[in-house]
Amino acid sequence: MNIRTTKEETIEQLVQRKAGESQDVSKVVAQVLNDIKERGDVALKEYTKKFDQVELTEFKVSDSEFTEGLAEITSEFLTILEQAKQNITNFHEKQVQRGFISTNEQGIVMGQRVLPLDTVGVYVPGGTAAYPSTVLMDVLPAKIAGVGKIVMITPPNKAGKIPPAILAAAKVAGVDAIYKVGGAQGVAALAYGTETIPSVDKIVGPGNIYVATAKRMVYGLVDIDMIAGPSDILIVADETANPKWLAADLLAQAEHDTLAQAVLVTTSEEIAKAVQEELRQQLAVLPRKEIAQASIKNNGKIIVAQSLDEALILANRIAPEHLELCVAEPFALLGKVKHAGSVFLGHHTPEVLGDYFAGPNHTLPTEGTARFYSPLSVDDFIKKSSYLYYSKEALQASAEQVIAFAEMEGLDGHARSMAVRKESNQ
């Protein structure tokens, strides 16, 4: 990881993101979506065999499969899941919104209702790793919001099974049904519904480029959370930071994906050099070395800034998914953070706390979209409906203004709707 400085390069040069892979899979995904829409479970079985190399007769995880999977989970891990659930629940319960009602002396009543979605589909990635943390983070806010039914899809392994850790997390979180299907075909099943899998109102959860493209293409028929790209972290560090800890945090992000981005911005040249050496040593023994090394080489940066204020300018321009403030006085900087998915304050708050256990959601905006997107929350699983009541007297008092407004827009039918009531004495 090369060391760059604000003395030698402009902020524009330093915040530039390296272009990721620009693979266009829209034609393939469109075909998959159409096939599932037209042929339902038959097409779903064909694509599961083609992409997951497994033939399934049933997609829904049975009670016996649940029992078998849970039997493989230790009581210690179940306890950890329950503790994480409590932390996540405590945090997200504070996000619950309430409706309101407003009245006045003229007989006007207006208000807003906050209503949960009826059905939500949660996509949990499969492949080389299992992500029970994704289950908790995506399901628990929906439960708190009061969603009527939560179904989950996740790709099966070659034996047609779901990892026990995923089943355990689903049980703890309160998922209503699990289906062994993934990819664009799984997204299509949730959007259109099949003979086996019900259609939903919203699809949440991360996935590969096929999943992301499918979510984008069904948006409008159903809602989605966001289009997630490769994960990223930016660490702001001063001279009080521990280089070994900083390197470990950078590699924790880099091991996700060869496209992941890990960036350190520090005010200390000594820290920069020490982290560079720590990365070399720690990479040598990291099991996912090849992935992390490619990420660090292609997307990683160490930037030496002239001040913490300058470091925060860089951070806000990059708008990272995860922002660690590894400085002596982290709360002094928090107010200067404008764009970040989640902020981790101080030397003893590594980003991995947020991944699994602490409470704030780990489904966060990536690739600079923290400028306008928010973390997944209870808000993502509700909708709002307004209501309005006017008494006869209140209607008469507003009639002329509404008629004039409608006529100004050239909508005589609108004006007439008000005028017939004004002219009547009922």
Side-chain angles (χ1 to χ4, degrees), residues 8 10 44-45 64 76 88 97-98 187 193 214 248 281 304 319 342 373:
E8 299 172 347
T10 67
L44 201 55
K45 289 177 181 178
S64 60
E76 290 80 9
I88 295 165
Q97 297 186 44
R98 309 294 178 190
V187 173
Q281 294 181 24
V304 177
S342 191
Y373 270 129

Side-chain angles (χ1 to χ4, degrees), residues 224-420:
I224 61 173
D225 49 354
M226 64 183 79
I227 304 297
S231 192
D232 63 85
I233 189 171
L234 186 145
I235 303 175
V236 172
D238 63 12
E239 69 283 354
T240 67
N242 185 321
K244 180 174 291 189
W245 296 3
L246 297 176
D249 292 355
L250 292 168
L251 291 177
Q253 200 66 38
E255 74 172 353
H256 269 295
D257 190 320
T258 58
L259 298 177
Q261 184 178 75
V263 177
L264 170 66
V265 181
T266 178
T267 54
S268 166
E269 291 187 21
E270 290 74 17
I271 290 287
K273 293 175 182 177
V275 169
Q276 196 176 42
E277 176 58 23
E278 278 292 338
L279 285 170
R280 186 188 66 78
Q281 294 181 24
Q282 293 185 33
L283 261 173
V285 295
L286 193 69
R288 293 171 68 92
K289 174 183 176 180
E290 290 185 7
I291 294 172
Q293 194 163 37
S295 169
I296 291 293
K297 179 180 178 181
N298 296 326
N299 308 305
K301 301 175 187 176
I302 297 177
I303 301 171
V304 177
Q306 303 309 299
S307 67
L308 287 176
D309 283 340
E310 189 175 63
L312 264 294
I313 291 173
L314 286 162
N316 283 323
R317 290 294 302 277
I318 291 173
E321 177 186 10
H322 310 96
L323 173 62
E324 285 189 9
L325 299 180
C326 295
V327 297
E329 300 292 339
F331 284 95
L333 297 186
L334 182 59
K336 299 178 181 180
V337 176
K338 292 174 60 180
H339 307 303
S342 191
V343 183
F344 303 82
L345 298 156
H347 301 307
H348 302 284
T349 317
E351 181 272 327
V352 293
L353 275 172
D355 279 343
Y356 302 115
F357 196 74
N361 209 283
H362 80 190
T363 302
L364 302 168
T366 61
E367 296 188 304
T369 58
R371 293 177 293 110
F372 49 83
Y373 270 129
S374 303
L376 191 75
S377 72
V378 173
D379 295 347
D380 287 285
F381 301 101
I382 61 170
K383 57 191 177 74
K384 299 171 184 177
S385 177
S386 60
Y387 58 90
L388 181 64
Y389 167 84
Y390 267 51
S391 67
K392 177 182 176 181
E393 294 75 20
L395 179 81
Q396 293 291 333
S398 301
E400 290 297 339
Q401 295 96 315
V402 174
I403 291 169
F405 223 132
E407 290 175 343
M408 177 63 69
E409 292 190 346
L411 298 174
D412 294 334
H414 284 61
R416 188 63 183 159
S417 174
M418 181 63 75
V420 295

Side-chain angles (χ1 to χ4, degrees), residues 7-18:
K7 286 182 179 179
E8 299 172 347
E9 298 182 69
T10 67
I11 287 177
E12 287 296 329
Q13 291 172 317
L14 291 169
V15 302
Q16 190 70 37
R17 289 177 179 268
K18 191 170 183 178

Side-chain angles (χ1 to χ4, degrees), residues 176-190:
D176 294 298
I178 304 175
Y179 298 92
K180 297 179 283 187
V181 60
Q185 65 271 22
V187 173
L190 291 175

